[in-house]
Amino acid sequence: MKRRTVIAGVAAAGTAVAAGLYRFTDLFVKRYPPTPYDDLLVQLVDRRQAARLGTHVAGAPDAAHLAAQLRAALKPGSLGVTAEAEVAAGRTMEVDGWVLPQTIAQLSALASKV
């Protein structure tokens, strides 16, 4: 067997393993079941941790009402800018001992409801 054949075989096997890990695990990219609120929830870095935090948000309305509020307040990709503006304006909430901007708390509550 030629050395080039072995190297090509090892490279092909490595590529197949990497593609399998990418497609069938959450190792590289986290995958979540589809929801009607994915346009909002895509802005969260880790939806599972946000959902854990969102269970502690007191008095959160239902998911449809939260989504309507968030769609009015957020533009795609503007979560950081909106959160900084809310902190500067003093629009924060205390959630389980954490002081968070209202938008972050509402997104977490939405993640916990879906």
Side-chain angles (χ1 to χ4, degrees):
M1 198 181 307
K2 292 183 179 181
R3 186 179 344 159
R4 289 182 185 172
T5 305
V6 172
I7 291 172
V10 169
T15 303
V17 167
L21 287 173
Y22 176 78
R23 172 64 179 95
F24 297 111
T25 68
D26 286 341
L27 188 61
F28 297 115
V29 177
K30 297 200 183 313
R31 301 186 196 291
Y32 304 102
T35 70
Y37 312 113
D38 284 340
D39 60 321
L40 297 168
L41 297 175
V42 73
Q43 296 188 41
L44 294 171
V45 174
D46 191 347
R47 195 181 297 182
R48 288 185 188 111
Q49 294 300 322
R52 286 181 57 197
L53 179 67
T55 59
H56 299 288
V57 175
D62 62 9
H65 187 71
L66 270 173
Q69 286 178 345
L70 288 167
R71 284 186 179 118
L74 285 174
K75 293 180 175 69
S78 70
L79 181 60
V81 174
T82 304
E84 287 177 7
E86 285 181 342
V87 169
R91 292 188 306 264
T92 59
M93 296 176 69
E94 183 177 347
V95 179
D96 196 33
W98 293 84
V99 178
L100 302 171
Q102 286 179 350
T103 304
I104 303 280
Q106 289 174 336
L107 268 175
S108 298
L110 180 64
S112 72
K113 293 181 183 293
V114 293

